[in-house]
């Protein structure tokens, strides 16, 4: 049995995630579970703030045990977090986390929804959150989600009654859900939404509570639970060969960029929800008073009679015997007046008919990407693996308005193939996450098309429509056009089809620092989205900066090939900063976007179009020392940033750390969360401390106390906390204004803390030995001063520095002061290097 479960887990993960675009070919047990779910007419909406906030155990239980239609409404896409698997942050991180949520839902059986709220970073209180989010717009989105999804039950992950006790986004999500519960059913509220959706009043609102919210397991055990319902979410699913909590662990483990890969759990486990609003409880039935049978809708009884009979007498060895009855139920469903249930159940029924009939319908493009006005071949495969009488009437590609009418009877297990040779029309939009198409604000995404607000991703550009006749009754099956291919070391793979611009360009350096008046060469990489690309490139730049040559010709023969062009940037004499960006002129069109490709095996391939721009900074900066060793942690661009200001940076692996190696460097910099992610770094601590004692500098960037891999983070006592300063404009006070780190080789002033982005810093130490000197003090509004953001300790001949300042965010944003301060940290103890050099000469 263990081998069977292991096989199922491997199959489930690879099928639902790596091959997310692959046409489904489910087993009989999976078809049967779909029939069970088809026969349950009830829905649950789970509400929280971020990717990974959701309780996958409860979502999976509601979807797989109760069989309810279950969705997770995440107010944000998680842009403000950290990335443990790569360099992407902000918008690109939001794209990854969106796809990780969708991967989790493919495992636990739920659906995914969003609002337009932008995760701007950690927030300590709902008051702060709602000062950055547009409350009315986010509340409107929550009301829209309720009216669109029509949940009988809403479950909040967080408690709306306890502001200030957790992340401000968390509590805000519960507060807005609590308010929207009544507004969704009020015809006088948000009337602008009524042209899309009708009002809807949910039955009950719950809070998904547990011992954590009570402070301890003992307190929760003593709590009054008369207003709560509990579930054993450890139930075992024989049809799946896996338990609910194992399935939930697999789902939450899809949040890889947040380090949520975890061991599966088994056995009985209680989950509680507390009634907050709505009708009183009746026993332990969360749907009490809700008719979840087909009798719920007018005309549903006749449909239910057919479908319940199929469920009760399901033929696991030959599901095709049910196709005629399923088709009959589908036909009856089209006469139902309730549009909501008709649309939902029609979609489910079509999928089940397709599965029972053994249909395989695929539309695969000859290329994974194409630009408008260019040719694309689409290969069609149609296969029926049953003895059911089915006629393929026609196939069309929308919105290309191309159609073929084969009108042929499909024979059992005999493949039919067709092809379309198409020209992509001019009006087809490029593929891009829809929430990134227009520039938003710090707290809100701008979505111009109101009808797609809340959708998890952009609808694919091309669909193939297959009209199949079942004994005189025709049903249309729609499939996204994908790209199927293979790799020798991977086998068969699937990718979404992307509509890309005919030309895109990027400057690899997103921040270019000029520490002198010396000119700097930059490389512009132009990528062709079509064959025979001809045009020219120029660079837009701020006033006072110069670029030559003024423009250069582009000529690329083949699609997907690149051409590199070198331009020279001349900075002004005085400190200055601004943006530069390439413009690719092709005919009468100008292209100013960069095509970003996101490729991770656990999510589908993603392309993102972002403005192609880089920040240029003429910086007044001095530094000492040259050679830096960098130990990478969770991923950041600090090494590249230090190279920008003239340091020689070498990334070293934990296993390579020796005293001999470190002798080649002036300083060692440890990347963010390295002590949370590198298992063996603890064994190298003494070697690193000896390096400091011999005269080197060691800079350790922020870590979290949770899952810390070492008991001795520093050569002296140092204890991490959850202290952070989220206001990027918070006042910075100098505790030791005469300390060298604030004076040499750069004089640090208040101006150096202007323009910081997202936050001042995070996870500051709260306790430290007397050997440490605290340098800075800062705090958020109405909080006590936090003095642990930058700690410096002399150790032997060198210096150990611990900092929670968010350099990993400030460097990519080109914040001058952050560079100057970091240069001072690297230069500590090297005040006399110039003098020594003169003496030697």
């Amino acid at each position: 049995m263990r081998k069977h479960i292991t096989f199922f887990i491997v199959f489930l993960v690879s099928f639902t995630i790596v091959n997310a675009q692959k046409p489904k070919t489910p087993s009989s047990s999976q078809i049967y579970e779909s029939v069970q779910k088809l026969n349950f007419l009830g829905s649950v909406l789970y509400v929280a703030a971020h990717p990974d906030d959701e309780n996958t155990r409860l979502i999976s239980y509601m979807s797989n045990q109760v069989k309810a239609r279950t969705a997770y409404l995440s107010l944000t896409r998680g842009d403000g977090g950290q990335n443990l698997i790569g360099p992407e942050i902000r918008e690109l991180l939001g794209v990854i986390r969106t796809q990780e949520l969708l991967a989790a839902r493919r495992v636990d059986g739920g659906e995914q929804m969003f609002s337009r709220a932008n995760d701007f970073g950690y927030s300590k209180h709902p008051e702060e959150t709602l000062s950055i989010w547009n409350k009315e717009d986010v509340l409107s989105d929550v009301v829209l989600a309720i009216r669109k999804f029509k949940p009988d039950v809403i479950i909040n992950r967080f408690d709306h009654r306890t502001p200030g006790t957790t992340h401000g986004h968390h509590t805000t999500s519960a507060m807005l859900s609590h308010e929207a519960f009544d507004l969704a059913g009020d015809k006088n509220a948000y009337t602008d939404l009524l042209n899309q959706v009708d009002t809807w009043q949910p039955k009950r609102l719950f809070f998904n509570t547990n011992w954590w919210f009570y402070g301890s397991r003992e307190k929760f055990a003593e709590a009054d639970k008369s207003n709560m319902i509990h579930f054993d979410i450890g139930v075992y699913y024989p049809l799946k060969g896996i338990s609910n909590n194992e399935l939930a662990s697999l789902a939450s483990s899809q949040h890889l960029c947040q380090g949520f890969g975890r061991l599966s759990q088994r056995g009985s486990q209680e989950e509680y929800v507390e009634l907050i609003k709505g009708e009183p409880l009746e026993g332990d039935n969360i749907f009490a008073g809700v008719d979840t049978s087909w009798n719920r809708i007018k005309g549903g009884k006749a449909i239910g009679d057919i479908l319940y009979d199929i469920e009760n007498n399901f033929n696991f060895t030959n599901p095709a015997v049910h196709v005629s009855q399923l088709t009959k139920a589908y036909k009856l469903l089209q006469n139902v007046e309730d549009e909501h249930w008709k649309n939902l159940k029609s979609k489910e029924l079509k999928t089940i008919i397709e599965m029972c009939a053994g249909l395989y319908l695929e539309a695969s493009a000859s290329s994974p990407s194409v630009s408008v006005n260019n040719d694309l071949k689409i290969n069609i495969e149609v296969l029926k693996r049953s003895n059911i009488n089915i006629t393929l009437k026609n196939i069309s590609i929308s919105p290309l308005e191309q159609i073929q009418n084969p009108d042929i009877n499909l024979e059992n297990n005999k493949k039919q193939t067709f092809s379309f040779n198409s020209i992509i029309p001019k009006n087809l939009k490029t593929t891009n996450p829809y929430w990134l198409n227009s520039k938003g604000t710090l707290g809100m995404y701008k979505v111009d098309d109101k009808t797609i607000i809340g959708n998890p991703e952009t609808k694919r550009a091309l669909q193939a429509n297959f009209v199949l006749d079942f004994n005189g009754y025709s049903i249309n099956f729609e499939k996204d056009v994908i790209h199927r291919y293979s790799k020798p070391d991977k086998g068969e793979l699937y990718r979404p089809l992307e509509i890309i611009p005919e030309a895109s360009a990027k400057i690899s350096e997103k921040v270019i620092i000029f520490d002198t008046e010396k000119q700097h060469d930059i490389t512009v990489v132009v990528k062709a989205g079509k064959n025979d690309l001809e045009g020219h490139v120029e660079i837009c730049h701020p006033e006072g900066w110069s670029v030559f040559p003024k423009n250069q010709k582009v000529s690329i023969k083949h699609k997907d090939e690149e051409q590199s062009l070198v331009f020279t940037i001349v900075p002004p004499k005085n400190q200055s900063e601004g943006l530069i960006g390439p413009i690719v002129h092709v005919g009468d069109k100008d292209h100013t976007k960069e095509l970003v490709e996101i490729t991770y095996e656990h999510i589908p391939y993603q392309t993102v179009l972002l403005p192609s721009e880089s920040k240029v900074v003429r910086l007044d900066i001095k530094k000492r020392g040259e050679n830096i060793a960098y130990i990478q942690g969770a991923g950041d661009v600090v090494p590249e940033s230090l190279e920008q200001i003239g340091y020689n940076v070498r990334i070293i692996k934990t296993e390579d750390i020796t005293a001999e190696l470190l002798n080649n460097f002036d300083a060692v910099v440890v990347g963010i969360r390295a002590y949370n992610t590198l298992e063996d770094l603890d064994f190298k601590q003494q070697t690193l401390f000896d390096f400091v004692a011999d005269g080197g500098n060691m800079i350790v960037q922020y870590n979290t106390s949770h899952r810390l891999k070492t008991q001795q983070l520093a050569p002296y006592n140092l204890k991490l906390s959850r202290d952070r300063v989220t206001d990027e404009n918070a006042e910075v006070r100098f505790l030791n204004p005469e300390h060298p780190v604030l004076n040499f080789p750069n004089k640090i002033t208040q101006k150096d803390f202007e323009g910081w982005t997202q936050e001042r810093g995070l996870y500051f130490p709260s306790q430290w030995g007397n050997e440490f000197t605290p340098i800075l003090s800062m705090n958020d509004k109405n909080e006590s001063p936090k003095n642990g953001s930058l700690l410096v300790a002399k150790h032997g001949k060198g210096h150990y520095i611990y900092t929670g300042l968010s350099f990993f965010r400030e460097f990519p944003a080109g914040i001058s002061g952050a560079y100057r301060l970091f240069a001072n940290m690297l230069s500590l103890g090297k005040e006399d290097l110039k003098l020594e050099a003169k003496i030697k000469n």
Side-chain angles (χ1 to χ4, degrees):
M1 176 59 75
R2 175 54 53 198
K3 288 183 179 179
H4 170 72
I5 293 175
T6 302
F7 172 78
F8 175 82
I9 292 173
V10 172
F11 171 78
L12 178 70
V13 173
S14 63
F15 178 84
T16 58
I17 300 166
V18 176
N19 282 323
Q21 307 297 315
K22 184 175 182 177
K24 294 181 179 180
T25 54
S27 65
S28 291
S29 62
Q30 291 171 306
I31 299 173
Y32 176 68
E33 288 182 292
S34 297
V35 174
Q36 289 181 310
K37 201 171 181 69
L38 177 69
N39 284 334
F40 190 92
L41 279 71
S43 52
V44 177
L45 181 64
Y46 198 88
V47 181
H50 310 108
D52 86 358
D53 284 348
E54 81 273 25
N55 184 343
T56 55
R57 299 181 302 272
L58 193 51
I59 290 175
S60 180
Y61 180 88
M62 288 296 164
S63 178
N64 295 288
Q65 175 65 14
V66 179
K67 307 299 181 185
R69 183 187 181 217
T70 309
Y72 173 41
L73 171 60
S74 176
L75 294 195
T76 77
R77 297 176 185 267
D79 308 55
Q82 288 83 49
N83 184 358
L84 298 184
I85 62 173
E88 297 89 355
I89 58 174
R90 295 304 304 150
E91 295 92 345
L92 296 179
L93 179 59
V95 173
I96 293 173
R97 290 190 169 185
T98 294
Q99 291 300 320
E100 288 184 339
L101 274 174
L102 290 170
R105 299 295 79 79
R106 286 192 289 270
V107 174
D108 61 33
E111 300 175 34
Q112 188 60 52
M113 306 175 76
F114 293 95
S115 81
R116 286 171 290 173
N118 191 346
D119 179 3
F120 56 82
Y122 192 86
S123 174
K124 294 182 177 178
H125 198 279
E127 181 181 339
E128 179 195 23
T129 299
L130 293 174
S131 70
I132 298 175
W133 288 354
N134 182 316
K135 180 188 175 182
E136 281 305 304
D137 284 349
V138 183
L139 182 56
S140 170
D141 291 354
V142 179
V143 170
L144 174 63
I146 295 172
R147 289 177 177 177
K148 182 184 294 185
F149 191 76
K150 299 188 184 303
D152 301 301
V153 172
I154 298 176
I155 302 176
N156 288 344
R157 184 65 178 118
F158 300 102
D159 192 347
H160 70 284
R161 299 162 295 191
T162 56
T165 59
T166 182
H167 196 318
H169 297 179
H170 291 170
T171 311
T172 301
S173 72
M175 292 167 61
L176 295 177
S177 175
H178 183 266
E179 191 172 350
F181 181 84
D182 295 320
L183 291 173
D186 184 352
K187 66 180 181 181
N188 296 314
Y190 294 100
T191 55
D192 58 308
L193 300 178
L194 296 178
N195 60 349
Q196 294 184 54
V197 289
D198 296 327
T199 59
W200 177 256
Q201 183 56 57
K203 200 81 166 179
R204 297 181 182 90
L205 172 68
F206 291 93
F207 159 47
N208 182 195
T209 189
N210 60 31
W211 68 266
W212 188 87
F213 292 97
Y214 283 76
S216 70
R217 297 181 187 276
E218 293 73 21
K219 289 181 179 179
F220 186 60
E222 298 171 358
D224 178 13
K225 299 183 179 63
S226 59
N227 206 33
M228 297 183 191
I229 295 176
H230 67 95
F231 316 94
D232 180 1
I233 52 85
V235 61
Y236 179 71
Y237 301 128
L239 289 172
K240 297 180 184 295
I242 193 172
S243 65
N244 184 75
N245 37 18
E246 286 176 293
L247 198 62
S249 295
L250 284 171
S252 62
S253 290
Q254 305 318 309
H255 296 296
L256 294 183
C257 73
Q258 299 174 80
F260 263 56
R262 65 179 189 176
L263 290 171
S264 59
Q265 300 177 358
R266 288 162 288 279
S268 182
Q269 188 175 352
E270 294 295 318
E271 194 73 51
Y272 288 83
V273 293
E274 175 190 356
L275 180 66
I276 299 297
K277 266 188 178 185
E279 296 188 6
L281 298 176
E282 299 176 24
D284 282 342
N285 183 8
I286 199 171
F287 284 101
V290 179
D291 187 349
T292 58
S293 74
W294 278 100
N295 292 328
R296 177 171 190 165
I297 58 176
K298 184 180 178 182
K301 184 180 182 305
I303 300 169
D305 288 343
I306 297 171
L307 297 177
Y308 292 133
D309 180 67
I310 293 174
E311 180 181 349
N312 295 331
N313 300 283
F314 188 76
N315 190 323
F316 285 88
T317 59
N318 185 19
V321 301
H322 302 299
V323 170
S324 62
Q325 289 297 91
L326 289 167
T327 305
K328 181 180 178 182
Y330 181 86
K331 188 174 181 180
L332 289 173
L333 184 56
Q334 305 318 300
N335 298 320
V336 166
E337 295 177 4
D338 190 320
E339 291 294 324
H340 174 73
W341 286 112
K342 180 171 73 174
N343 292 335
L344 287 177
K345 294 302 176 181
S346 291
K347 184 178 179 181
E348 290 181 48
L349 251 175
K350 283 204 297 185
T351 301
I352 294 171
I353 291 170
E354 180 184 350
M355 293 189 294
C356 286
L359 288 168
Y360 186 90
L361 309 172
E362 180 185 278
S364 177
S366 54
S367 170
S369 63
V370 64
S371 59
V372 298
N373 283 339
N374 281 275
D375 297 336
L376 181 71
K377 183 178 181 180
I378 300 173
N379 297 309
I380 304 294
E381 181 178 333
V382 179
L383 182 64
K384 182 199 71 169
R385 291 172 285 197
S386 70
N387 290 316
I388 300 301
N389 183 29
I390 302 175
T391 300
L392 174 62
K393 302 296 289 185
N394 62 66
I395 309 165
S396 60
I397 307 294
S398 61
L400 304 185
E401 299 181 355
Q402 288 186 300
I403 189 168
Q404 294 185 33
N405 300 287
D407 198 17
I408 55 174
N409 291 323
L410 298 176
E411 297 181 33
N412 186 7
N413 211 30
K414 184 175 181 181
K415 181 172 67 175
Q416 299 288 339
T417 59
F418 309 87
S419 65
F420 289 85
N421 292 298
S422 309
I423 296 178
I424 304 302
K426 292 182 179 180
N427 61 350
L428 210 58
K429 294 181 179 179
T430 51
T431 304
N432 202 43
Y434 70 85
W435 60 95
L436 298 180
N437 284 334
S438 299
K439 187 175 178 59
T441 65
L442 175 64
M444 297 296 298
Y445 284 120
K446 183 182 178 184
V447 180
D448 298 320
D449 184 353
K450 305 302 181 186
T451 64
I452 61 175
I453 290 174
N455 291 354
E457 57 185 342
T458 305
K459 184 178 178 179
R460 289 292 156 184
L462 299 180
Q463 287 79 39
N465 300 283
F466 302 82
V467 177
L468 299 173
D469 183 278
F470 296 81
N471 289 321
Y473 187 76
S474 293
I475 301 177
N476 178 70
F477 297 86
E478 183 182 273
K479 303 291 178 181
D480 287 338
V481 177
I482 48 82
H483 174 63
R484 180 164 63 102
Y485 64 109
S486 67
K487 286 187 175 181
D489 59 335
K490 299 289 185 182
E492 185 178 63
L493 297 169
Y494 287 77
R495 268 181 55 173
L497 173 66
E498 313 281 352
I499 308 300
I500 62 173
E502 60 182 346
S504 58
K506 66 178 180 181
I507 301 173
S508 56
E509 300 165 287
K510 294 306 174 188
V511 175
I512 306 170
I513 304 295
F514 296 79
D515 56 351
T516 68
E517 298 178 37
K518 186 178 178 181
Q519 64 189 31
H520 180 80
D521 288 343
I522 64 165
T523 300
V524 176
V525 180
V526 180
K527 185 172 184 177
K530 67 173 186 177
N531 292 331
D532 299 315
L533 178 71
E534 298 286 342
H536 67 276
V537 178
E538 66 174 318
I539 304 291
C540 62
H541 56 84
E543 186 176 351
W545 296 70
S546 300
V547 176
F548 63 89
K550 184 177 180 181
N551 61 67
Q552 296 191 55
K553 183 181 178 181
V554 172
S555 181
I556 304 176
K557 183 66 176 175
H558 301 293
K559 175 180 173 290
D560 294 330
E561 286 187 350
E562 296 178 340
Q563 181 178 344
S564 296
L565 305 171
V566 177
F567 289 84
T568 300
I569 310 293
V570 182
K573 292 183 179 181
N574 300 319
Q575 186 156 318
S576 172
E577 60 183 56
L579 296 175
I580 63 171
I583 304 173
V584 185
H585 303 280
V586 181
D588 59 352
K589 290 185 178 180
D590 294 341
H591 300 278
T592 60
K593 296 290 183 72
E594 173 183 356
L595 185 66
V596 181
E597 298 169 306
I598 301 176
T599 56
Y600 291 102
E601 288 192 355
H602 68 299
I603 60 174
Y605 179 95
Q606 301 291 303
T607 59
V608 184
L609 283 168
L610 295 175
S612 182
E613 57 187 25
S614 295
K615 187 172 184 179
V616 287
V617 180
R618 170 65 175 94
L619 178 60
D620 177 17
I621 188 171
K622 302 177 182 66
K623 59 187 183 298
R624 297 291 185 272
E626 293 183 358
N627 301 315
I628 310 298
Y630 199 89
I631 304 171
Q632 284 191 317
D636 55 55
V637 295
V638 173
E640 297 89 334
S641 300
L642 295 178
E643 288 176 340
Q644 284 274 341
I645 56 175
Y647 285 104
N648 301 317
V649 183
R650 177 179 168 186
I651 295 175
I652 61 174
K653 295 181 179 180
T654 307
E655 59 266 29
D656 296 333
I657 296 174
T658 63
E660 291 75 17
L661 175 68
L662 297 182
N663 281 337
N664 299 306
F665 301 103
D666 299 298
V668 173
V669 180
V670 183
I672 62 173
R673 297 187 68 174
Y675 289 100
N676 298 131
T677 57
L678 301 180
E679 296 285 348
D680 298 332
L681 190 53
D682 182 37
F683 305 128
K684 300 293 184 176
Q685 285 295 82
Q686 192 56 53
T687 304
L688 291 167
F689 296 158
D690 290 344
F691 164 76
V692 177
D694 289 340
N697 285 347
M698 180 177 178
I699 300 174
V700 179
Q701 298 175 84
Y702 96 93
N703 293 269
T704 68
S705 57
H706 181 57
R707 295 180 180 176
L708 202 59
K709 307 295 184 184
T710 182
Q711 297 299 314
Q712 189 178 8
L713 195 60
Y716 310 115
N717 178 46
L718 186 70
K719 184 177 181 181
L720 301 182
S721 73
R722 296 186 64 83
D723 288 350
R724 63 198 302 165
V725 176
T726 61
D727 182 358
E728 62 269 33
N729 298 310
E731 179 190 2
V732 177
R733 299 173 292 275
F734 295 173
L735 295 174
N736 286 273
E738 301 306 316
H739 194 283
V741 80
L742 294 177
N743 293 278
F744 180 85
N746 304 288
K747 178 69 174 178
I748 302 301
T749 69
Q750 292 296 327
K751 186 175 178 60
D752 290 298
F753 292 94
E754 293 177 3
W756 283 48
T757 181
Q758 189 160 327
E759 62 200 351
R760 287 295 189 196
L762 63 171
Y763 299 110
F764 300 159
S766 58
Q767 298 177 26
W768 51 86
N770 292 331
E771 297 86 352
F772 283 102
T773 300
I775 304 299
L776 306 173
S777 178
M778 58 191 71
N779 57 272
D780 283 321
K781 183 180 178 182
N782 299 324
E783 290 192 354
S784 60
K786 305 295 184 289
N787 297 340
S789 65
L790 180 57
L791 302 173
V792 180
K794 182 78 173 174
H795 182 58
K797 299 177 183 178
H799 295 83
Y800 177 94
I801 304 167
Y802 189 92
T803 180
L805 294 171
S806 59
F807 290 103
F808 72 103
R809 295 198 189 281
E810 311 316 318
F811 283 174
I815 305 302
S816 302
Y819 280 92
R820 286 161 48 83
L821 179 56
F822 210 96
N824 281 15
M825 291 157 57
L826 291 168
S827 301
L828 269 179
K830 298 176 174 60
E831 292 90 337
D832 297 328
L833 283 181
K834 254 189 171 180
L835 178 61
E836 291 177 9
K838 286 182 180 179
I839 293 173
K840 288 179 181 179
N841 291 332

